[in-house]
Amino acid sequence: AAKGERRGTCRGFEAGMDAAAQEKNRLEKDLRAAVRQGSLEVHYQPIVDLQTGAVECYEALLRWNHPERGAVPPDVFVPLAEEMGLIDPIGRFVLGSACAEAMRWPAHVRVAVNVSPLQFRNGNLLSTVINALSTSGLAAERLELEITEAVLMEKGPRPAAIIRNLRAFGIGISLDDFGTGYSSLSYLLNYPFTKIKIDKSFILNLHQEASSRAVIRAVIGLGRSLGLTVTAEGIEHEIDRDYLREEGCTQGQGYLFGHAEPPLAIAAAQCRAA
Ligand code: C2E
Ligand code: MG
Ligand code: MG
Ligand code: MG
């Protein structure tokens, strides 16, 4: 009986694993098909000058509209793509799309593209970026790459060398999600960053958490003293925008200014504004 019970338990456990693994398998299969069929999309969210409200940049954000599940968030499918070895082709697609799209905007408006740590490891990031620029004709100064600390924790000199090369071309380098990782000050001193993006978790609870306000003030001060642009993401309320503006934060991004929208909507808005 004991043996039977154990087998039963074991079978139940395996069945549970199977369900989760099957689910993941299906999502992977669908993601592979989406990449092959070109059904991933890039949307663009405005980043504004906090003093004037003028749009200075758009962040390119991947969107996957699954035929049955609807929108699958990038926080779900980007890690999956990394695991499946699909992040290089996806990264090339985002860079190519973003540079081409920015060519339709006024020349003072930049485009920001997120780059995965894995693109520093196995991909040929530098040539991918140069290729996207030369194919589109976009000036390097109009492109910003957003990286997280995970990139800097990669072993060896490769990330550092690639970042310096990219910067030497005139491409902007932003430290994304600042405040959530180790936020090591040595990173800020040892890499040629042009921008710090304060993670949205600090902005979303700015009014409840005095500690968030302290972090925000410190990061703005740090950024200013290093001559960097400081961007706050996740601004949803006017009161938060006003606070950040008074504290001297350079740029803002968030639903208050606009959601990520498809390329046509952005081009049309820029056309009207011009
Ligand atoms: P991220 O780079 O930090 O992008 C900002 C995220 O904050 C976006 O989420 C954006 O929609 C969201 N956001 C902006 N304003 C607000 C706001 O006011 N309130 C709230 N609650 N959220 C706001 P999204 O689009 O879901 O992307 C999540 C993450 O997925 C990104 O975080 C980035 O790490 C990753 N990701 C997106 N697109 C790409 C891509 O093309 N390549 C790579 N490697 N990663 C990407
Ligand atoms: Mg980003
Ligand atoms: Mg971020
Ligand atoms: Mg992020």
Side-chain angles (χ1 to χ4, degrees):
K3 202 176 173 190
E5 253 171 50
R6 203 169 61 229
R7 198 159 39 206
T9 310
C10 202
R11 205 164 39 229
F13 180 68
E14 276 176 359
M17 288 294 282
D18 279 352
Q22 268 172 28
E23 165 76 4
K24 194 174 165 215
N25 268 340
R26 265 198 297 274
L27 203 59
E28 286 179 351
K29 193 169 127 283
D30 294 348
L31 181 56
R32 212 179 286 284
V35 172
R36 201 172 43 234
Q37 292 157 7
S39 55
L40 292 185
E41 289 180 19
V42 185
H43 287 194
Y44 299 87
Q45 186 182 28
I47 299 176
V48 306
D49 176 329
L50 268 185
Q51 301 303 320
T52 67
V55 174
E56 297 195 314
C57 183
Y58 287 94
E59 180 173 0
L61 293 164
L62 268 169
R63 295 291 178 257
W64 180 19
N65 195 11
H66 190 283
E68 289 116 39
R69 298 163 197 255
V72 181
D75 286 328
V76 171
F77 73 81
V78 168
L80 209 57
E82 290 175 335
E83 217 178 285
M84 295 166 66
L86 283 177
I87 200 66
D88 281 331
I90 291 178
R92 273 196 297 278
F93 161 70
V94 176
L95 273 161
S97 307
C99 291
E101 211 43 52
M103 286 298 284
R104 302 162 56 146
W105 309 336
H108 66 276
V109 180
R110 299 175 175 220
V111 66
V113 176
N114 293 286
V115 179
S116 156
L118 292 191
Q119 291 175 268
F120 282 81
R121 204 185 292 172
N122 42 29
N124 211 336
L125 182 60
L126 194 60
S127 66
T128 298
V129 170
I130 301 306
N131 192 43
L133 289 174
S134 62
T135 304
S136 61
L138 189 75
E141 289 71 22
R142 292 183 61 195
L143 177 64
E144 294 176 1
L145 299 181
E146 299 196 357
I147 65 173
T148 59
E149 280 173 307
V151 169
L152 310 179
M153 292 169 72
E154 294 271 312
K155 294 256 179 336
R158 269 173 61 77
I162 296 168
I163 290 168
R164 288 201 186 88
N165 271 314
L166 290 163
R167 184 69 201 109
F169 274 100
I171 295 157
I173 308 289
S174 308
L175 186 49
D176 204 354
D177 302 344
F178 192 76
T180 57
Y182 293 88
S183 302
S184 165
L185 300 184
S186 69
Y187 291 148
L188 284 177
L189 297 174
N190 292 329
Y191 295 87
F193 287 108
T194 49
K195 182 186 280 195
I196 305 175
K197 297 189 76 175
I198 307 175
D199 190 70
K200 59 177 178 292
S201 57
F202 298 99
I203 314 299
L204 292 171
N205 65 15
L206 187 156
H207 23 272
Q208 297 104 299
E209 294 281 341
S211 59
S212 285
R213 290 193 293 278
V215 168
I216 287 163
R217 267 201 305 276
V219 176
I220 293 171
L222 185 64
R224 284 168 73 106
S225 56
L226 293 172
L228 306 176
T229 300
V230 179
T231 304
E233 59 179 30
I235 304 177
E236 297 186 355
H237 309 287
E238 286 180 6
I239 188 169
D240 299 336
R241 176 202 58 198
D242 295 346
Y243 174 82
L244 288 157
R245 185 194 275 158
E246 276 158 33
E247 290 295 331
C249 189
T250 333
Q251 292 182 326
Q253 174 179 6
Y255 299 161
L256 178 66
F257 311 109
H259 287 74
E261 288 194 73
L264 277 177
I266 302 299
Q270 282 304 318
C271 209
R272 279 195 302 277

